[in-house]
PDB file of all heavy atoms in Angstrom:
ATOM      1  N   MET A   4     -55.927 -18.861   7.893  1.00 98.00           N
ATOM      2  CA  MET A   4     -54.997 -18.724   8.992  1.00 98.00           C
ATOM      3  C   MET A   4     -55.587 -17.942  10.084  1.00 98.00           C
ATOM      4  O   MET A   4     -55.840 -16.816   9.946  1.00 98.00           O
ATOM      5  CB  MET A   4     -53.611 -18.091   8.599  1.00 98.00           C
ATOM      6  CG  MET A   4     -52.533 -18.389   9.719  1.00 98.00           C
ATOM      7  SD  MET A   4     -52.044 -20.059   9.999  1.00 98.00           S
ATOM      8  CE  MET A   4     -51.037 -20.349   8.443  1.00 98.00           C
ATOM      9  N   TYR A  17     -53.834 -22.919  10.970  1.00 98.00           N
ATOM     10  CA  TYR A  17     -54.347 -23.119   9.568  1.00 98.00           C
ATOM     11  C   TYR A  17     -55.622 -24.007   9.663  1.00 98.00           C
ATOM     12  O   TYR A  17     -55.499 -25.208  10.024  1.00 98.00           O
ATOM     13  CB  TYR A  17     -53.258 -23.695   8.721  1.00 98.00           C
ATOM     14  CG  TYR A  17     -53.497 -23.619   7.276  1.00 98.00           C
ATOM     15  CD1 TYR A  17     -53.861 -22.484   6.649  1.00 98.00           C
ATOM     16  CD2 TYR A  17     -53.301 -24.677   6.444  1.00 98.00           C
ATOM     17  CE1 TYR A  17     -54.158 -22.315   5.272  1.00 98.00           C
ATOM     18  CE2 TYR A  17     -53.475 -24.698   5.081  1.00 98.00           C
ATOM     19  CZ  TYR A  17     -53.863 -23.497   4.455  1.00 98.00           C
ATOM     20  OH  TYR A  17     -54.031 -23.380   3.134  1.00 98.00           O
ATOM     21  N   PHE A 332     -44.904 -15.764   0.143  1.00 98.00           N
ATOM     22  CA  PHE A 332     -45.083 -16.905   0.839  1.00 98.00           C
ATOM     23  C   PHE A 332     -46.554 -17.518   0.623  1.00 98.00           C
ATOM     24  O   PHE A 332     -47.542 -16.719   0.526  1.00 98.00           O
ATOM     25  CB  PHE A 332     -44.875 -16.748   2.303  1.00 98.00           C
ATOM     26  CG  PHE A 332     -43.377 -16.639   2.685  1.00 98.00           C
ATOM     27  CD1 PHE A 332     -42.795 -15.327   2.596  1.00 98.00           C
ATOM     28  CD2 PHE A 332     -42.646 -17.702   3.259  1.00 98.00           C
ATOM     29  CE1 PHE A 332     -41.490 -15.277   3.092  1.00 98.00           C
ATOM     30  CE2 PHE A 332     -41.425 -17.577   3.544  1.00 98.00           C
ATOM     31  CZ  PHE A 332     -40.788 -16.354   3.471  1.00 98.00           C
ATOM     32  N   ARG A 333     -46.666 -18.725   0.708  1.00 98.00           N
ATOM     33  CA  ARG A 333     -47.959 -19.496   0.689  1.00 98.00           C
ATOM     34  C   ARG A 333     -48.751 -19.202   2.026  1.00 98.00           C
ATOM     35  O   ARG A 333     -48.014 -18.975   3.101  1.00 98.00           O
ATOM     36  CB  ARG A 333     -47.875 -21.037   0.576  1.00 98.00           C
ATOM     37  CG  ARG A 333     -47.389 -21.513  -0.705  1.00 98.00           C
ATOM     38  CD  ARG A 333     -47.190 -23.009  -0.653  1.00 98.00           C
ATOM     39  NE  ARG A 333     -46.676 -23.602  -1.957  1.00 98.00           N
ATOM     40  CZ  ARG A 333     -45.434 -23.607  -2.381  1.00 98.00           C
ATOM     41  NH1 ARG A 333     -44.548 -23.172  -1.599  1.00 98.00           N
ATOM     42  NH2 ARG A 333     -45.127 -24.190  -3.457  1.00 98.00           N
ATOM     43  N   LEU A 334     -49.981 -19.126   2.048  1.00 98.00           N
ATOM     44  CA  LEU A 334     -50.789 -18.868   3.195  1.00 98.00           C
ATOM     45  C   LEU A 334     -50.524 -19.912   4.226  1.00 98.00           C
ATOM     46  O   LEU A 334     -50.421 -19.618   5.420  1.00 98.00           O
ATOM     47  CB  LEU A 334     -52.243 -18.898   2.807  1.00 98.00           C
ATOM     48  CG  LEU A 334     -53.227 -18.803   3.930  1.00 98.00           C
ATOM     49  CD1 LEU A 334     -52.924 -17.478   4.790  1.00 98.00           C
ATOM     50  CD2 LEU A 334     -54.745 -18.750   3.589  1.00 98.00           C
ATOM     51  N   SER A 335     -50.375 -21.112   3.792  1.00 98.00           N
ATOM     52  CA  SER A 335     -50.159 -22.296   4.839  1.00 98.00           C
ATOM     53  C   SER A 335     -48.802 -22.109   5.483  1.00 98.00           C
ATOM     54  O   SER A 335     -48.508 -22.791   6.663  1.00 98.00           O
ATOM     55  CB  SER A 335     -50.188 -23.576   4.201  1.00 98.00           C
ATOM     56  OG  SER A 335     -49.227 -23.749   3.112  1.00 98.00           O
ATOM     57  N   GLU A 336     -47.964 -21.249   5.024  1.00 97.00           N
ATOM     58  CA  GLU A 336     -46.515 -21.112   5.492  1.00 97.00           C
ATOM     59  C   GLU A 336     -46.349 -19.700   6.124  1.00 97.00           C
ATOM     60  O   GLU A 336     -45.316 -19.229   6.197  1.00 97.00           O
ATOM     61  CB  GLU A 336     -45.580 -21.260   4.378  1.00 97.00           C
ATOM     62  CG  GLU A 336     -45.566 -22.757   3.889  1.00 97.00           C
ATOM     63  CD  GLU A 336     -44.440 -22.873   2.840  1.00 97.00           C
ATOM     64  OE1 GLU A 336     -44.079 -21.911   2.069  1.00 97.00           O
ATOM     65  OE2 GLU A 336     -44.103 -24.104   2.672  1.00 97.00           O
ATOM     66  N   LEU A 337     -47.538 -19.144   6.670  1.00 98.00           N
ATOM     67  CA  LEU A 337     -47.539 -17.903   7.276  1.00 98.00           C
ATOM     68  C   LEU A 337     -46.565 -17.816   8.522  1.00 98.00           C
ATOM     69  O   LEU A 337     -45.859 -16.872   8.736  1.00 98.00           O
ATOM     70  CB  LEU A 337     -48.846 -17.457   7.722  1.00 98.00           C
ATOM     71  CG  LEU A 337     -48.992 -16.019   8.345  1.00 98.00           C
ATOM     72  CD1 LEU A 337     -48.359 -14.904   7.361  1.00 98.00           C
ATOM     73  CD2 LEU A 337     -50.446 -15.687   8.755  1.00 98.00           C
ATOM     74  N   HIS A 338     -46.425 -18.957   9.167  1.00 97.00           N
ATOM     75  CA  HIS A 338     -45.467 -18.894  10.340  1.00 97.00           C
ATOM     76  C   HIS A 338     -44.005 -18.718   9.846  1.00 97.00           C
ATOM     77  O   HIS A 338     -43.249 -17.994  10.350  1.00 97.00           O
ATOM     78  CB  HIS A 338     -45.602 -20.327  11.028  1.00 97.00           C
ATOM     79  CG  HIS A 338     -46.873 -20.777  11.515  1.00 97.00           C
ATOM     80  ND1 HIS A 338     -47.913 -21.334  10.716  1.00 97.00           N
ATOM     81  CD2 HIS A 338     -47.446 -20.522  12.806  1.00 97.00           C
ATOM     82  CE1 HIS A 338     -48.948 -21.473  11.386  1.00 97.00           C
ATOM     83  NE2 HIS A 338     -48.769 -21.101  12.708  1.00 97.00           N
ATOM     84  N   LYS A 339     -43.757 -19.352   8.700  1.00 96.00           N
ATOM     85  CA  LYS A 339     -42.421 -19.213   8.047  1.00 96.00           C
ATOM     86  C   LYS A 339     -42.161 -17.684   7.607  1.00 96.00           C
ATOM     87  O   LYS A 339     -41.039 -17.142   7.877  1.00 96.00           O
ATOM     88  CB  LYS A 339     -42.172 -20.041   6.880  1.00 96.00           C
ATOM     89  CG  LYS A 339     -40.736 -20.129   6.288  1.00 96.00           C
ATOM     90  CD  LYS A 339     -40.682 -20.883   5.048  1.00 96.00           C
ATOM     91  CE  LYS A 339     -40.875 -22.381   5.375  1.00 96.00           C
ATOM     92  NZ  LYS A 339     -40.630 -23.129   3.965  1.00 96.00           N
ATOM     93  N   ALA A 340     -43.227 -17.121   7.085  1.00 96.00           N
ATOM     94  CA  ALA A 340     -43.142 -15.785   6.655  1.00 96.00           C
ATOM     95  C   ALA A 340     -42.918 -14.848   7.902  1.00 96.00           C
ATOM     96  O   ALA A 340     -42.138 -13.864   7.787  1.00 96.00           O
ATOM     97  CB  ALA A 340     -44.348 -15.342   6.009  1.00 96.00           C
ATOM     98  N   GLU A 341     -43.745 -15.092   9.056  1.00 95.00           N
ATOM     99  CA  GLU A 341     -43.487 -14.265  10.254  1.00 95.00           C
ATOM    100  C   GLU A 341     -42.007 -14.355  10.623  1.00 95.00           C
ATOM    101  O   GLU A 341     -41.408 -13.355  11.048  1.00 95.00           O
ATOM    102  CB  GLU A 341     -44.408 -14.705  11.251  1.00 95.00           C
ATOM    103  CG  GLU A 341     -45.959 -14.265  10.947  1.00 95.00           C
ATOM    104  CD  GLU A 341     -46.216 -12.794  11.221  1.00 95.00           C
ATOM    105  OE1 GLU A 341     -45.215 -12.139  11.571  1.00 95.00           O
ATOM    106  OE2 GLU A 341     -47.385 -12.456  11.064  1.00 95.00           O
ATOM    107  N   ILE A 357     -48.703 -12.652   1.162  1.00 98.00           N
ATOM    108  CA  ILE A 357     -49.120 -14.011   1.372  1.00 98.00           C
ATOM    109  C   ILE A 357     -50.305 -14.411   0.387  1.00 98.00           C
ATOM    110  O   ILE A 357     -51.127 -13.628   0.277  1.00 98.00           O
ATOM    111  CB  ILE A 357     -49.753 -14.059   2.880  1.00 98.00           C
ATOM    112  CG1 ILE A 357     -48.706 -13.486   3.848  1.00 98.00           C
ATOM    113  CG2 ILE A 357     -50.149 -15.408   3.192  1.00 98.00           C
ATOM    114  CD1 ILE A 357     -47.367 -14.094   3.917  1.00 98.00           C
ATOM    115  N   ASP A 360     -52.865 -20.985  -0.922  1.00 98.00           N
ATOM    116  CA  ASP A 360     -52.107 -22.032  -1.565  1.00 98.00           C
ATOM    117  C   ASP A 360     -52.775 -22.390  -2.947  1.00 98.00           C
ATOM    118  O   ASP A 360     -52.088 -22.669  -3.909  1.00 98.00           O
ATOM    119  CB  ASP A 360     -52.273 -23.359  -0.651  1.00 98.00           C
ATOM    120  CG  ASP A 360     -51.417 -23.147   0.677  1.00 98.00           C
ATOM    121  OD1 ASP A 360     -51.356 -21.983   1.095  1.00 98.00           O
ATOM    122  OD2 ASP A 360     -50.653 -24.204   1.007  1.00 98.00           O
ATOM    123  N   TRP A 363     -51.332 -20.128  -5.565  1.00 98.00           N
ATOM    124  CA  TRP A 363     -50.013 -19.988  -5.475  1.00 98.00           C
ATOM    125  C   TRP A 363     -49.301 -20.054  -6.908  1.00 98.00           C
ATOM    126  O   TRP A 363     -48.451 -19.247  -7.233  1.00 98.00           O
ATOM    127  CB  TRP A 363     -49.229 -21.042  -4.613  1.00 98.00           C
ATOM    128  CG  TRP A 363     -47.853 -20.981  -4.551  1.00 98.00           C
ATOM    129  CD1 TRP A 363     -46.894 -21.781  -5.255  1.00 98.00           C
ATOM    130  CD2 TRP A 363     -47.033 -19.919  -3.934  1.00 98.00           C
ATOM    131  NE1 TRP A 363     -45.673 -21.473  -4.925  1.00 98.00           N
ATOM    132  CE2 TRP A 363     -45.682 -20.245  -4.133  1.00 98.00           C
ATOM    133  CE3 TRP A 363     -47.292 -18.895  -3.184  1.00 98.00           C
ATOM    134  CZ2 TRP A 363     -44.601 -19.475  -3.620  1.00 98.00           C
ATOM    135  CZ3 TRP A 363     -46.316 -18.021  -2.644  1.00 98.00           C
ATOM    136  CH2 TRP A 363     -44.924 -18.469  -2.814  1.00 98.00           C
ATOM    137  N   ALA A 374     -35.882 -18.905   0.054  1.00 47.00           N
ATOM    138  CA  ALA A 374     -36.022 -19.663   1.373  1.00 47.00           C
ATOM    139  C   ALA A 374     -37.341 -20.252   1.451  1.00 47.00           C
ATOM    140  O   ALA A 374     -37.666 -20.928   2.291  1.00 47.00           O
ATOM    141  CB  ALA A 374     -35.856 -18.676   2.461  1.00 47.00           C
ATOM    142  N   ASN A 375     -38.300 -19.910   0.406  1.00 49.00           N
ATOM    143  CA  ASN A 375     -39.689 -20.362   0.499  1.00 49.00           C
ATOM    144  C   ASN A 375     -39.793 -21.697  -0.316  1.00 49.00           C
ATOM    145  O   ASN A 375     -40.254 -21.615  -1.474  1.00 49.00           O
ATOM    146  CB  ASN A 375     -40.670 -19.319   0.081  1.00 49.00           C
ATOM    147  CG  ASN A 375     -42.005 -19.695   0.284  1.00 49.00           C
ATOM    148  OD1 ASN A 375     -42.383 -20.615   1.070  1.00 49.00           O
ATOM    149  ND2 ASN A 375     -42.918 -18.962  -0.367  1.00 49.00           N
TER     150      ASN A 375
END
Side-chain angles (χ1 to χ4, degrees):
M4 190 65 75
Y17 194 49
F332 283 84
R333 292 176 178 85
L334 177 60
S335 61
E336 297 180 333
L337 182 57
H338 302 84
K339 184 187 294 186
E341 290 282 4
I357 307 301
D360 291 40
W363 178 255
N375 188 17

